[in-house]
Amino acid sequence: MTTADADLLLTVEEAARRLRIGRTQMYALITSGEVPSVTIGRLRRIPAECLAAYVSGLLAAVQSR
């Protein structure tokens, strides 16, 4: 496990990079509530576990078709 894999909170850009999507699409997922985020002061962070939950939800939706 690398240090990047062990990060608890990710910036929007880091989260987008992990999902292989653009920053604008990541903000859209956050705004819609599909990917939860937290604020620390003025900073927006995405818990790494929320990305895993989002991907699991996508897989579940595909498998239920």
Side-chain angles (χ1 to χ4, degrees):
M1 180 180 296
T2 65
T3 303
D5 293 334
D7 292 340
L8 293 176
L9 296 173
L10 306 167
T11 65
V12 173
E13 290 80 8
E14 290 169 338
R17 206 172 308 121
R18 284 198 183 183
L19 292 178
R20 305 287 198 265
I21 62 174
R23 188 176 64 93
T24 302
Q25 182 63 37
M26 189 71 228
Y27 274 110
L29 291 173
I30 292 167
T31 301
S32 71
E34 292 181 73
V35 175
S37 66
V38 297
T39 54
I40 301 173
R42 293 175 51 201
L43 304 173
R44 170 85 39 204
R45 296 291 182 256
I46 296 88
E49 64 192 41
C50 292
L51 288 183
Y54 173 70
V55 172
S56 294
L58 290 175
L59 288 172
V62 168
Q63 292 172 352
S64 69
R65 290 184 191 169

